[in-house]
Structure formats: C-alpha cells, structure tokens
Amino acid sequence: MRRLASLLAAVLIAVLAPATAASAAPKNLQVMSWNMCGSLNWGCDAYGGPQDKIDVVKYHVETNYVHAALLQEVCENDLTLLMNQLGSGWSKSFAPYQHSTDGVRRTSVCGGTRTDRIGTAIVVKAGMSSPQNYEITHAWNGLARPFHCVTATYWDTRLCNVHLDPAKNNPDQPDWEYADDQMKDIQTIVAAFPTLVVGGDFNVQPQDRPGNARKWLWADGFWATDAGTPGYRECDQTGAVRDGRDTWTGNNQSGKLDYVFSTETKRWCAVGDSAYSDHHVVIYSVSVD
C-alpha cells in the first residue's frame, strides 16, 4: 500500500511540475548595406536613375531574401518610391544629411533640379520600433552625416546605419580627421544593444589592409579578431584577419569602405557590384538566437 501511495505521489508531482520550455529556434536575418549614390551634386548621375537603384534593392529582397537594408546617400522621394514598390509589411526610418557652416546646420538636398532631402535610411520587413537619431561628433564646417538605429521587432534586433566622414571633410581644416571620434561615439552607443547589426559606409579602409595609413581611425575593440575577442565580427572577414573584398571603385582607385558587423552567428556573406553606384552591395546573413 505504501508503495502504491509513493507511485501515485510521483505521478502527481510529474503532472504538476511545469514542463521545461523548449528553446526558440534561431531566426535567420539578412541585412543589406548599400551606398546608393543618389545625389546629383556628387556625380551620381553617372550611375543610373532612381528606378535603376530601386530595382537593385528589390532584386536582393526577392533573390537573396533581404529582410532589412541600411542605405546611404538615398534621396527621400526615391525612398518613398522604394517603399511603395516593396509593398505592405515594410517600414522605414530616414535621417537627412546636413551641411554645417560655422556650426549652423542646413538640410542637404538631392541637387540638380531636385529639392527633396538626401540622407540615410533603414528599411525593415516584419515590424520596426524605437527609431532614434543619435548625436555623434561632427565638424564645425562640412557635411554632417547622421547615425541612427531602429529595432527590427520580429528579430528583437537593433539595426544601426553608419556613414562616417571621409578624409578632408572639413574644408577649413582638411587635415583634421573626425571618423575616429565618430567611431568611438558609435561604439559607446551600440554597446547597450545585446543583439545588434551595425553597418554602412565607414569611409575607412580595413584595419589589417596593407598600406592603410588611416587604420588608427578604428576604435580599439570595435572589430573582433576572432570568436571570444572584444568587438564585432565583420561580414566579409576571414578568420582573425580584419579585411575583406573591395566594395568601392572611384577616381581610378578601389578599396573596402562598406561593412556590416553583428553580435550574432554568421551564416553567409555576399558582396556584389552594381552599375548603379560606385559602391557594392554587402549582405550579411546571421542566425539570431
């Protein structure tokens, strides 16, 4: 009788005890970064028209299953056309470039006969929340490029769009560099995000690229050398080498200026050129736990 009572008690405990929750399956996330070269003031009319550029984004959405795009040098009206053609389920966040004159900023436009704003944009499928434009270091004079982030709600992942200053951005002080301070600012901001994809046009060659005289601009600990080391692994790096394929061609030069970093596990990386910009497309596929 005592044995039967013990068995019944064991069964009762098993029934009442909560089942161990199964771990959620990782979610694949494909993030594309592309400098669209949309401005008519910056020589971009040599790289096709708005629909050509829109079709590049749509191609990668349809062919490479891109879920989010970090876009630089995009005209606001072109972004509106892109959103209309992507259809329902997509959201956008836009941040304009501003030109600073003695600290007074004026919004930049696409140029030529166009008066719509130009800036950077984050485009996301399956929900967006908490868009925020963060203030980072900028020159007193010259173009001020934004840094902004959103949360891709389906993946609960923070997506951040970078466009750092190139050399000689300040016309009054062409020898002064600002990318180092901007990168440190960004490093501090994104440290608060446990699940992150951050990418864009960094305007700086890779840290381990031979002959890179500007490698000191990279913030210490931002670019991881391997698993378990401080920082974030970049889409196109191989092993511990902080380098990758070229992503830009212009003025008889070429180099890697475009990057996508993430806290998440790498699945694959793609780099593809386009006739419609001087920058290549970079796509990072990660597995979000």
Side-chain angles (χ1 to χ4, degrees), residues 25-31 65-68 89-90 123-128 151-159 195-197 264 286-289:
K27 299 174 181 177
N28 296 338
L29 170 61
Q30 279 76 251
V31 180
Y65 306 104
V66 163
H67 304 108
W90 288 84
V123 176
V124 181
K125 186 178 183 180
M128 172 191 291
T151 296
T153 53
Y154 177 73
W155 295 269
D156 193 22
T157 297
R158 200 69 172 156
L159 306 178
T195 309
L196 170 73
V197 178
E264 304 308 290
V286 295
S287 179
V288 181
D289 292 327

Side-chain angles (χ1 to χ4, degrees), residues 190-210:
V190 301
F193 308 140
T195 309
L196 170 73
V197 178
V198 54
D201 180 357
F202 282 61
N203 271 316
V204 181
Q205 296 278 7
Q207 207 157 352
D208 292 338
R209 178 66 60 98

